[in-house]
C-alpha cells in the first residue's frame, strides 16, 4: 500500500494472543505498555500511549519514554471498573526534528538563516491545526514566528529556541502528520478490588449443625459467620447447595453402594427436587439463603457458590433436554468416564450438541439466576472439561451486565489449559501451589506466575488443601507444616483459601497410605468438627490474615521478588506497594522438623532501599523487632516456635540527627 | 460466538509480526512449524500442518507430532520458488478417542458391548464422509462394522481393534468434526538457492583500466572476470554506474573542493547525461553493459548493481519532479544533512511527498529497467533512510513478477531497523560482523542471528571490509588478520563478500589515525591496483571459496553450532547438512600475532556423532589429516602459518573389521 506513514510500531506489550484476550487489572492498578517504535532516517519521533474506558468518548494520551534500542514505555492507572482500550500511535515530529537540528547548528555556528524561516512555517502549521489554542499560547507563537522571520540580530532571533520556551509551547500542540497507529486496540478487564485480593474459607453447610449427626442448614451456616470473620476471611465458599441425585448415589469414602442416610456428594447435582436453580431441601429454602447472604454482609463476607456443570441421572435437564447429553447406541446416556473408571452418577454435558445455542443460554441463565439472588462470586468446578470457547462467551456476557462478578477456575490440569481458561476470562485460578513445597519449586513457579506474560491474565488463588486434596506434606508435617503452608499461600498469593475446619483442626489422615484423599471425606458424609479445640490454628490464621489486611503490599503479586538466602531449607521473598510505602519481607523455614538459620542477601535495589543506612524489620507474626544493615543479614527459625517471619521493613531509622539538640 | 469447536490452537511458530511478514526459505529448505494445540477434557486430538504453493489448488497435509506439554511440531520441504502458505488445523478425534478407550477397557476387562456398537457408528460416519474411499478400504470397513455389531464371541468382535488394522485404515479417512483452523494463513517467500548462498566481490569499474591513470570501462571490467572467477566469487557487485553529478562534486579524500579531473563519487547520481536509468559515459554504453553481463555468465558470475535512491543536484528528476524533494522557504531544495554536517551534493527523496504514488512507481521502474537489461541482484544503498513501507511495497511488487530478484540491504544502523528492512522483504542484509572480533562478540551475535526468530527472515551477508569501512582490526593485524576475517565471514555466513582488490592486496592505511575510512578512498578517485602482486591473498581466498563451494554444510546458517574451546583467543563452530552427510568444523585463532593452543570440547550430540568411535578430521585449508576420538581434542594454531583450520569431519574411520581377512 502506497502511503506517507513512516513510523513502524511493533512488539507491543502486554498483548495476549495478538490482542484476542484482555489483560486483567483491578481499579487503581498500574498498566505499563511498551513497544518498539522507529522510522527510517534520523528524524525525531513522537509517540503516544492512548487509552479510554469503554464509556468514554475521548482517548487519554500519555507520552511514553524512549528507554533504549527503540524501545518505549508508558503507563497509566485504571480509574474505574469495566473495559478499557489501549494502543500506541506515533509520527515523525517535524517540529522536534527541526528544534534538535537548530540547537546543533547554533552550537556549530553554521549558517541557519533559512532554517529559521522553516521554523516559522512549522509554527504556522501547528496554529492552523490547533485553532482552539489557548489565547496566551497563540500570542506567544505569533510573536515567535515574527521574531524568527525578523531582520533582528541572530541572537535575538534564536532566543525562542535557546530558552526552550518555544519547545514547551509547541509540544502542547502536536501536529500528528502521517500518523501510524498500531493495528490492534488492546483491551483491559478492570475489576473490583476483590478480584485481585481475596481470602477464602470453604465449608460444607451440612456439617454446621450444632448437634452431632444432625444435617446442617443455611441458617446453621450463618451461625458460623462470626467464627469465619474472626479468622479474617472475606469469602465464604460453599460446595454445591443444590438437590443431590439419588441414582447411583455414592456412599461414604466414595463407595459405589450407598447406605440409607448417606447424604451423597454435593457435586452429583439434580434430583426430582430440582437442578442448578434449586436448593437442597435439607439445607433450607431461598429465604434461608437470603438470610445467610445478609448475615454474611454484616461480617464483610461474601458468599461464593460452587457451579458444577454436570448432572446426576435424576436431574430435570436429562428428561427436558436429552440432546444436551450424548446418547449411546443402546439408548442410554453416556456417563462420565476415564476408562476403565466409570462415574455412573454423573452425566457430562455434550459440548458438541447440535443445540449448542440452547444449552449455552441455559447454562448462562444459571449464573444469572444466582446473581439475581445476590451472589457475585462463583467457584467453577472442573471448567477444563467444558468447551473453552463456552467460558469465553459466558464470562464476557455476564461481566458486561454484572461487572462485579468473580469467577474462580477450579482446574488442576495441564499448564496451557489452565492459562487458556484464565485468558478466556476467569477472574482467578487454582494453582499448582498445592504441590509446590521446596524452595526451587516455589521460586520457579511463582516467578513464572509473576514475571512472565502470565501475570497479565492469570490471577493465582493458592489453596494448601481442598476437600479433594490432602497433600502429602500436610499428612506428615504436623502443626508447623500447616503454618508453613498457610504463610506461603497467604503471602505469595494475593488470593488464597483454605478448606476448613479440616485445615485449622489439622485433619491429616489420608484414605489410604500414599493417597491424597481425606479418610472419611466430607464430600460423602456429614462431619462434626470441634472448632473450639484448643489446638486449633485459628489464632495463627487470624494473625496471618490480619497482617494481610493491614499491609497493602500483600494485595497484589506484581512486586513479588525472591531474595537469596544461603540455606536450601529457607525461602525469602518480598512484596511492596508501587510507591514502596509498604514493604513486606517474608522468610520461611520450609523444614517443619528442624531449626534452620541462614544469611539473607537482600536485593536492596528492587526494594529501592538505601544500602548506607540501617533499617528496622518488625516481625508481625512473632512480634520481635530487629535492626538490620545492608543486604547481608542473619535469620534463624525454629519451626517448633514459629516457622516464619513476616517482616515489615521500615526504611527510616532514627539517628542522632533526629535528636532535638543535635544541631 | 456460540459454536461447537473445542480445540484451541495458539503460539504458532514461525510467525513474524502476527503473520504480517513472510518467513524466508530457498528451494529444498525445511520448514518446521510448531504450535500449542489442546482442547477441554481428555479426548484425543488430531492435528494437521497444512501448506500449499500459491499456484496449487489443494493443500498438502502433514501430521505433526505431539512433543510434550501440548506442544506439537511438524515439517515439510519447499519444492519450488514463490509464495507458500501454511497454517495449522485440529479437531477432537472421535475415532481415536474411542479406539484409545476401547484398548483400555479391553485391558481392564470391563463391559464394553455398547462401545462396540459405538465403534460401528463411528466407522459409518467416516464412510459417509469419504464416499471416494479406496474400494479395498471400503470393503474392510464394511466387514469391521459387521464384526463389531455381530453376536460373535467378544474376542472376535474386538479383533479389528487389537490388531491395529482398523486404526490404520480409519486414520486415512479423518472426520474433521468441528474443525478449528488457526486464524492466520502464514506465508513463506521461497527463493532460488543464491538468495541463501552467495559469494560477493565488489569492484569499481573505473579502476579496471589496463594502464595507470586511464578511466576503466565496463569492457575493461569484463577483462577482470577470469580473476574474480578464479577466486571463486559468484556475484560481481558494481558501485553505481550512472552519470555522476557535477554540482558540488567531491574531490579526493572527500574534500569539498574538486580539482579538474576528479571523477567524483559514484553515489552522487545524475547529471545532464541522465539519472538512474543511464550509464556514466566514460564507463561505456548499454552494449558494453550487455557484453559484461554475457561474459560474466560464462564465468558463472552474476553482476549486481548498486541502487542508491538519492540525486545529485544535476539529476533530471530535480527539474522534472521538484515535488519529490523538500523545498525550503528560500526556494532551494533541502540537501542531505546530519547537523552540523551538510551534504550539498546529495538531495534525498522526500517520502512524505504528496506525490507518493508517482514517486514510488518511478523508483520501482528503475529496478524494472535494470531487470529488463538482465540484472537480478541489487545491493540497495542506505535503505534505512527511505520509508520502510516503500521497501515492503516495491520488493513485493517486483518479486511477484521477477521472483529471481535478490535485494541486499546495505543498512548499518540500529538493530530493530535492520530487522525491519529484512521483514519488509530484503533477501539479504549487511551485518555488524564488520565490528565483531572477539569470541564473545562473534558467538553472541551469530547465536542471535541463527538461534532466534531472526533466522526466519534475516539472511546475513558478512563483509570484512567495504569502500566505506576499513575496520580497525584490519589496519593493524597484517596478513593473518585478513585471513582470520576472511575465514570467519566465509564460514559463519552462507553469504559474504569482500571489497577488492583493496582486500586481497591488504590496503590497510586509514585516512587519519583512529578513522575507519580508507586513505585515498576509491570512492573519490581512480585507483591502480597491482592484482598480480605476489603478496596477494588471492590463493588463500580461492581456497576458502573452493571449500565453500564443495561443502553444502556451509550453504546455510540454520545448523551453526558453537563448541567450547578452552582458550579465549580461539573460537570453534560447526555447520552440517540436515542429513549430517557433510559436517564442517572450523577453529580460528582470533589473535593474529601469537600461536595459541587449546582443548576443544565438541558437542557431539549436536553433530549426531558417536562418542565410541574415532573419527577423521581433514583440514581442507592446511591439508593435514588428524584422527580424533570423543569430544575432547587438542588444537594448536600458529597465525604466521595459518590462523584457522576448516575441518571436514568423516564419521567412518576404517578399523580392523574392514580388513578383508578379519573374519
Amino acid at each position: 500500500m502506497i502511503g506517507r506513514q513512516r513510523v513502524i510500531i511493533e512488539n507491543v506489550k502486554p498483548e495476549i494472543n495478538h490482542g484476542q484476550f484482555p489483560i486483567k487489572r483491578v481499579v487503581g492498578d498500574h498498566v505499563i505498555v511498551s513497544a518498539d517504535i522507529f522510522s527510517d532516517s534520523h528524524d525525531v519521533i513522537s509517540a503516544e500511549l492512548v487509552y479510554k474506558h469503554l464509556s468514554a468518548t475521548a482517548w487519554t494520551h500519555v507520552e511514553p519514554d524512549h528507554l533504549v534500542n527503540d524501545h518505549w514505555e508508558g503507563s497509566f492507572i485504571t480509574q474505574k471498573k469495566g473495559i478499557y482500550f489501549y494502543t500506541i500511535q506515533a509520527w515523525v515530529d517535524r517540529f522536534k526534528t527541526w528544534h534538535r537540528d537548530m540547537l546543533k547548528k547554533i552550537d556549530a555556528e553554521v549558517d541557519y538563516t533559512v532554517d529559521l524561516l522553516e521554523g516559522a512555517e512549522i509554527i504556522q502549521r501547528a496554529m492552523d491545526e490547533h485553532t482552539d489554542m489557548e489565547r496566551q499560547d497563540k500570542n506567544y507563537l505569533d510573536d515567535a514566528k515574527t521574531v524568527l522571520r525578523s531582520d533582528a540580530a541572530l541572537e535575538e532571533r534564536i532566543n525562542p529556541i535557546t530558552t526552550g520556551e518555544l519547545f514547551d509551547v509547541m509540544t502542547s500542540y502536536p501536529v500528528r502528520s502521517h500518523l501510524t497507529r498500531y493495528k490492534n486496540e488492546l483491551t483491559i478487564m478492570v475489576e473490583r478490588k476483590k478480584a485481585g485480593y481475596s481470602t477464602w474459607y470453604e465449608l460444607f453447610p451440612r456439617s454446621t449443625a450444632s448437634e452431632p449427626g444432625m444435617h446442617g442448614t443455611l441458617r446453621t451456616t450463618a451461625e458460623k459467620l462470626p467464627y469465619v470473620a474472626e479468622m479474617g476471611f472475606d469469602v465464604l465458599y460453599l460446595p454445591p447447595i443444590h438437590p443431590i441425585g439419588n441414582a447411583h448415589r455414592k456412599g461414604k469414602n466414595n463407595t459405589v453402594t450407598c447406605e440409607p442416610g448417606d447424604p451423597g456428594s454435593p457435586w452429583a447435582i439434580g434430583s426430582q427436587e430440582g437442578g442448578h436453580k434449586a436448593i437442597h431441601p435439607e439445607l433450607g429454602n431461598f429465604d434461608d439463603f437470603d438470610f445467610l447472604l445478609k448475615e454474611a454482609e454484616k461480617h464483610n463476607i461474601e458468599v461464593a457458590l460452587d457451579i458444577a456443570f454436570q448432572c446426576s441421572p435424576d436431574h430435570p435437564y436429562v428428561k427436558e433436554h436429552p440432546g444436551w447429553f450424548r446418547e449411546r447406541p443402546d439408548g442410554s446416556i453416556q456417563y462420565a468416564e476415564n476408562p476403565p473408571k466409570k462415574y455412573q452418577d454423573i452425566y457430562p454435558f455434550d459440548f458438541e450438541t447440535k443445540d449448542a445455542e440452547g444449552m449455552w443460554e441455559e447454562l448462562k441463565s444459571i449464573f444469572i439466576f444466582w446473581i439475581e439472588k445476590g451472589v457475585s462470586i462463583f467457584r467453577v468446578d472442573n471448567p477444563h472439561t467444558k468447551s473453552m470457547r463456552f467460558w469465553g462467551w459466558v464470562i464476557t456476557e455476564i461481566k458486561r451486565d454484572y461487572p462485579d462478578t468473580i469467577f474462580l477456575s477450579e482446574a488442576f490440569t495441564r499448564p496451557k489449559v489452565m492459562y487458556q481458561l484464565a485468558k478466556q476470562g476467569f477472574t482467578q485460578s487454582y494453582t499448582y501451589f498445592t504441590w509446590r513445597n521446596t524452595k526451587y519449586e516455589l521460586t520457579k513457579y511463582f516467578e513464572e506466575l509473576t514475571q512472565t506474560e502470565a501475570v497479565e491474565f492469570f490471577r493465582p488463588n493458592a489453596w494448601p488443601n481442598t476437600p479433594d486434596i490432602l497433600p502429602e506434606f500436610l499428612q506428615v508435617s504436623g502443626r508447623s507444616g500447616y503454618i508453613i503452608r498457610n504463610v506461603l499461600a497467604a503471602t505469595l498469593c494475593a488470593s488464597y483459601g483454605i478448606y476448613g475446619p479440616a485445615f485449622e483442626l489439622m485433619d491429616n489422615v489420608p484414605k489410604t497410605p500414599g493417597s491424597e484423599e481425606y479418610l472419611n471425606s466430607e464430600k460423602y458424609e456429614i462431619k462434626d468438627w470441634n472448632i473450639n479445640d484448643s489446638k486449633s490454628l485459628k489464632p495463627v490464621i487470624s494473625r496471618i490474615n490480619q497482617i494481610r489486611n493491614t499491609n497493602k503490599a500483600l494485595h497484589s503479586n506484581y512486586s513479588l521478588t525472591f531474595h537469596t538466602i544461603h540455606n536450601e531449607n529457607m525461602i525469602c521473598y518480598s512484596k511492596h506497594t508501587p510507591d514502596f510505602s509498604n514493604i513486606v519481607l517474608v522468610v520461611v523455614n520450609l523444614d517443619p522438623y528442624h531449626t534452620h538459620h541462614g544469611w539473607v542477601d537482600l536485593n536492596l535495589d528492587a526494594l529501592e532501599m538505601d544500602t548506607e543506612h540501617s533499617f528496622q524489620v518488625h516481625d508481625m507474626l512473632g512480634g520481635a523487632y530487629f535492626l538490620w544493615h545492608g543486604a547481608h543479614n542473619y535469620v534463624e527459625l525454629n519451626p517448633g516456635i514459629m516457622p516464619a517471619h513476616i517482616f515489615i521493613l521500615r526504611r527510616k531509622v532514627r539517628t542522632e540527627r533526629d535528636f532535638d539538640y543535635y544541631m
Side-chain angles (χ1 to χ4, degrees), chain A:
Chain A
M1 272 268 297
I2 295 179
R4 298 161 79 187
Q5 301 170 345
R6 290 167 52 207
V7 175
I8 302 289
I9 301 172
E10 61 180 14
N11 193 28
V12 175
K13 286 181 180 166
E15 184 188 66
I16 312 303
N17 288 44
H18 304 181
Q20 185 186 349
F21 300 112
I23 61 167
K24 296 195 177 91
R25 291 294 186 274
V26 298
V27 174
D29 268 349
H30 286 253
V31 180
I32 298 172
V33 182
S34 66
D36 295 338
I37 309 175
F38 51 85
S39 95
D40 61 271
S41 309
H42 311 287
D43 297 343
V44 181
I45 287 172
S46 278
E48 289 172 333
L49 160 59
V50 300
Y51 68 95
K52 75 194 248 327
H53 189 272
L54 175 63
S55 64
T57 49
W59 293 84
T60 306
H61 296 210
V62 173
E63 213 173 318
D65 296 319
H66 180 200
L67 303 181
V68 70
N69 193 15
D70 296 315
H71 197 61
W72 297 60
E73 187 178 286
S75 73
F76 60 91
I77 292 174
T78 55
Q79 305 283 0
K80 55 191 271 198
K81 282 183 292 189
I83 301 288
Y84 273 77
F85 300 101
Y86 64 95
T87 195
I88 299 276
Q89 59 188 28
W91 64 94
V92 172
D93 194 309
R94 186 84 192 275
F95 170 74
K96 286 185 186 167
T97 304
W98 172 82
H99 197 269
R100 177 199 63 186
D101 291 351
M102 274 308 304
L103 290 173
K104 284 188 191 170
K105 288 175 182 179
I106 291 166
D107 202 44
E109 298 183 0
V110 297
D111 177 15
Y112 47 74
T113 46
V114 185
D115 300 82
L116 293 175
L117 303 179
E118 257 167 9
E121 279 183 2
I122 293 168
I123 293 170
Q124 185 56 50
R125 176 77 207 283
M127 295 179 79
D128 293 346
E129 183 99 348
H130 295 278
T131 47
D132 57 345
M133 203 174 264
E134 299 275 333
R135 158 95 7 222
Q136 75 187 62
D137 290 341
K138 186 176 178 311
N139 291 344
Y140 175 83
L141 292 178
D142 270 330
D143 290 349
K145 260 190 326 186
T146 309
V147 169
L148 288 170
R149 284 175 174 154
S150 73
D151 292 331
L154 273 185
E155 202 169 293
E156 194 178 320
R157 290 173 71 188
I158 63 174
N159 192 51
I161 303 161
T162 51
T163 57
E165 286 172 5
L166 180 60
F167 189 89
D168 290 344
V169 176
M170 281 290 283
T171 47
S172 304
Y173 300 105
V175 176
R176 301 181 181 85
S177 311
H178 316 308
L179 182 84
T180 296
R181 192 171 166 109
Y182 183 62
K183 63 180 171 166
N184 290 342
E185 276 183 12
L186 305 166
T187 50
I188 316 172
M189 171 62 76
V190 180
E191 297 170 279
R192 61 187 174 122
K193 296 267 186 189
K194 200 167 247 175
Y197 172 66
S198 55
T199 316
W200 295 52
Y201 188 80
E202 175 174 7
L203 158 159
F204 282 73
R206 68 189 182 190
S207 295
T208 56
S210 47
E211 284 179 48
M214 295 279 288
H215 194 289
T217 65
L218 296 170
R219 290 200 178 251
T220 58
T221 301
E223 289 167 13
K224 303 296 176 198
L225 285 165
Y227 170 76
V228 176
E230 277 160 28
M231 284 192 286
F233 293 99
D234 58 18
V235 179
L236 175 65
Y237 148 49
L238 312 179
I241 59 169
H242 315 302
I244 295 171
N246 293 297
H248 299 283
R249 177 181 285 193
K250 293 288 171 75
K252 288 193 176 71
N253 282 305
N254 200 19
T255 47
V256 180
T257 50
C258 169
E259 304 296 324
D262 278 349
S265 161
W267 284 274
I269 295 170
S271 73
Q272 289 73 4
E273 285 148 333
H276 287 78
K277 296 176 186 171
I279 294 175
H280 189 62
E282 286 178 277
L283 287 174
N285 58 29
F286 283 101
D287 284 342
D288 301 327
F289 186 73
D290 192 53
F291 174 78
L292 172 62
L293 261 51
K294 290 218 164 62
E295 286 298 302
E297 205 178 333
K298 291 181 192 161
H299 291 91
N300 287 315
I301 288 174
E302 282 189 64
V303 173
L305 283 196
D306 190 307
I307 295 293
F309 283 144
Q310 57 191 21
C311 297
S312 98
D314 307 337
H315 196 295
Y317 287 155
V318 177
K319 276 195 190 121
E320 293 163 14
H321 302 284
W324 294 355
F325 306 90
R326 192 183 284 176
E327 197 187 341
R328 310 197 73 198
D330 65 350
S332 69
I333 286 176
Q334 178 68 60
Y335 44 78
E337 52 177 356
N338 185 12
K341 287 190 215 155
K342 302 180 173 194
Y343 306 93
Q344 288 100 331
D345 59 333
I346 299 291
Y347 287 173
F349 288 103
D350 175 12
F351 277 85
E352 292 185 356
T353 174
K354 285 181 187 150
D355 184 24
E357 184 149 349
M359 188 176 84
W360 287 27
E361 289 287 358
E362 175 62 21
L363 296 181
K364 173 185 155 189
S365 79
I366 293 169
F367 284 114
I368 305 288
F369 178 87
W370 291 105
I371 289 170
E372 290 180 349
K373 294 278 182 235
V375 177
S376 298
I377 308 185
F378 298 97
R379 177 270 199 194
V380 176
D381 189 74
N382 279 337
H384 59 293
T385 59
K386 288 92 196 171
S387 163
M388 301 285 146
R389 288 181 175 82
F390 165 71
W391 295 119
W393 174 82
V394 76
I395 294 173
T396 305
E397 288 272 306
I398 290 168
K399 290 203 70 100
R400 188 188 54 219
D401 297 331
Y402 306 96
D404 280 343
T405 317
I406 288 172
F407 298 87
L408 168 62
S409 158
E410 187 257 357
F412 291 110
T413 182
R414 308 189 308 285
K416 284 163 189 168
V417 178
M418 293 183 62
Y419 281 156
Q420 181 69 27
L421 290 163
K423 288 176 180 179
Q424 294 281 1
F426 277 94
T427 322
Q428 300 182 356
S429 306
Y430 278 54
T431 70
Y432 302 144
F433 168 76
T434 316
W435 299 275
R436 297 290 178 271
N437 295 297
T438 66
K439 174 149 88 174
Y440 174 80
E441 289 168 350
L442 289 163
T443 306
K444 194 166 173 230
Y445 187 51
F446 280 91
E447 282 184 344
E448 179 188 321
L449 294 183
T450 60
Q451 287 165 37
T452 71
E453 188 185 67
V455 76
E456 303 291 353
F457 59 83
F458 185 90
R459 289 204 194 95
N461 188 326
W463 289 72
N465 73 328
T466 77
D468 287 312
I469 314 163
L470 169 62
E472 203 173 3
F473 184 84
L474 290 183
Q475 295 175 26
V476 299
S477 61
R479 182 183 184 85
S480 337
Y482 274 81
I483 298 175
I484 289 168
R485 298 300 292 171
N486 198 149
V487 168
L488 289 170
T491 55
L492 282 168
C493 254
S495 289
Y496 92 102
I498 60 171
Y499 152 54
F503 187 86
E504 64 266 28
L505 299 181
M506 296 176 282
D507 180 358
N508 67 345
V509 187
K511 192 170 160 188
T512 54
S515 155
E516 289 199 327
E517 285 179 65
Y518 277 96
L519 178 67
N520 304 324
S521 167
E522 199 166 3
K523 287 175 70 178
Y524 309 104
E525 60 190 272
I526 293 169
K527 303 283 276 193
D528 177 38
W529 300 106
N530 178 14
I531 59 172
N532 298 315
D533 190 320
S534 64
K535 296 200 190 77
S536 167
L537 292 173
K538 185 186 171 207
V540 184
I541 296 171
S542 307
R543 183 78 195 119
I544 292 169
N545 288 339
Q546 189 191 12
I547 292 169
R548 276 167 57 85
N549 281 329
T550 51
N551 285 277
K552 286 206 167 150
L554 298 174
H555 296 193
S556 70
N557 301 318
Y558 306 110
S559 68
L560 181 64
T561 307
F562 288 92
H563 302 267
T564 303
I565 178 164
H566 298 275
N567 182 326
E568 277 312 292
N569 289 287
M570 302 178 89
I571 192 167
C572 176
Y573 50 88
S574 65
K575 285 187 173 180
H576 59 261
T577 50
D579 63 357
F580 296 92
S581 63
N582 181 228
I583 304 176
V584 172
L585 182 78
V586 182
V587 186
V588 182
N589 175 359
L590 298 170
D591 175 353
Y593 312 114
H594 306 98
T595 297
H596 282 277
H597 54 83
W599 287 89
V600 172
D601 268 334
L602 291 179
N603 178 349
L604 292 176
D605 281 349
L607 300 176
E608 294 208 347
M609 297 276 289
D610 167 1
T611 53
E612 294 297 310
H613 294 97
S614 53
F615 53 94
Q616 193 194 64
V617 299
H618 168 206
D619 182 3
M620 297 178 283
L621 207 50
Y625 291 81
F626 303 90
L627 199 59
W628 281 11
H629 193 286
H632 207 55
N633 296 284
Y634 180 81
V635 176
E636 180 171 317
L637 285 164
N638 176 345
I641 299 168
M642 185 57 76
H645 290 307
I646 307 180
F647 291 124
I648 184 166
L649 264 64
R650 296 208 177 83
R651 289 194 278 182
K652 177 75 179 102
V653 172
R654 283 177 177 272
T655 74
E656 66 279 11
R657 283 183 289 277
D658 296 312
F659 186 60
D660 270 351
Y661 297 170
Y662 178 77
M663 289 303 284

